[in-house]
Amino acid sequence: MTKVVLASSMAKMESLACEKGCSEKDFMHKAALSIAAYVESFLTKKNLPRKVFLLVGKGNNGGDALASWLLLLV
C-alpha cells in the first residue's frame, strides 16, 4: 500500500525541517536524483530510448522535474 501525504502536511513538514537546518535546495536535489534514477532504470529495463518529455502541472514539482531532466541529460 502506498502512503499519501497531503500537500499541506508536506509543506508543514518541509517548513519544520528547514527550521532545523535542512534546505529546500537539498530537498529538490534529492528528489531530482531519485526521479532521474527511477526513470533511467525504467528506460533501461524496458530497453526504451532515452527520450523524455516533461509534463508538469501546477504546484511546486516543476523544479524537481526540471532538475531530474537535467540529470538525465548527463
Side-chain angles (χ1 to χ4, degrees), residues 5-71:
V5 178
L6 296 174
S8 58
S9 297
M10 183 56 68
K12 183 171 177 110
M13 286 186 275
E14 287 180 356
S15 177
L16 291 170
C18 288
E19 288 176 15
K20 299 211 180 266
C22 295
S23 74
E24 290 182 6
K25 182 179 175 184
D26 291 338
F27 290 140
M28 186 178 296
H29 183 70
K30 185 166 175 102
L33 287 172
S34 297
I35 293 166
Y38 179 85
V39 170
E40 181 71 37
S41 173
F42 180 84
L43 295 176
T44 300
K45 285 179 187 175
K46 301 290 185 179
N47 197 29
L48 296 170
R50 290 187 63 181
K51 190 171 194 174
V52 178
F53 295 92
L54 299 178
L55 299 173
V56 182
K58 64 181 185 176
N60 290 330
N61 296 320
D64 298 343
L66 179 60
S68 299
W69 177 72
L70 291 171
L71 288 168

